[in-house]
Amino acid sequence: MTDSARWKATVYVGGLASLATTTNLHDAFIPFGEIADISLPKNDAPNATDPHRGFAYVEYEDPEDAKEAIDNMDQSEFFGRVLKVSPAKPPKSADEGLGSKTAVWEQEGWLAKHAVSEEDRLAASSTEKATPDDRPDDPMQGLEGLDVAGPKPE
């Protein structure tokens, strides 16, 4: 299965109680289809007392099973907590976004989003070639004699 197909068949389960285990999750989500994998990320903080971070990923064999699980398990109660079940978002690539080693404007996603059309380039170049008659009057004109700030002395 390709990565994009795997993420379409994976659901995010948030709001888990600290008592929840992979076995409990498997038992709760198996009625909706064949489960390929369950990931319950551990808390890496040195002083953490919780066994996991409060969320999990449940990967199904079929994307339709994942949709069924979302429809049935979202806002349901599990170990006294209300679950938030939604489609899992694929992780951001190390080559994309602000954390990458490549300049933002050199990335494909940024370029596609911010590309300037030829029509916009022509409009910008025509405004740069404006004659002095087209420009508004100088806002500083007529202020040559003022050398002191504030009201005029009487």
Side-chain angles (χ1 to χ4, degrees), residues 8-23:
K8 288 179 182 174
T10 304
V11 296
Y12 165 84
V13 183
L16 291 174
S18 59
L19 297 172
T21 64
T22 55
T23 306

Side-chain angles (χ1 to χ4, degrees), residues 109-147:
W110 188 90
L111 190 58
K113 187 176 178 182
H114 296 91
V116 178
S117 68
E118 192 62 36
E119 182 180 319
D120 291 340
R121 280 197 192 104
L122 290 173
S125 66
S126 68
T127 59
E128 290 172 1
K129 297 177 184 176
T131 62
D133 296 337
D134 295 343
R135 295 191 182 150
D137 292 335
D138 183 14
M140 302 302 288
Q141 196 171 21
L143 301 176
E144 293 85 16
L146 297 177
D147 59 347

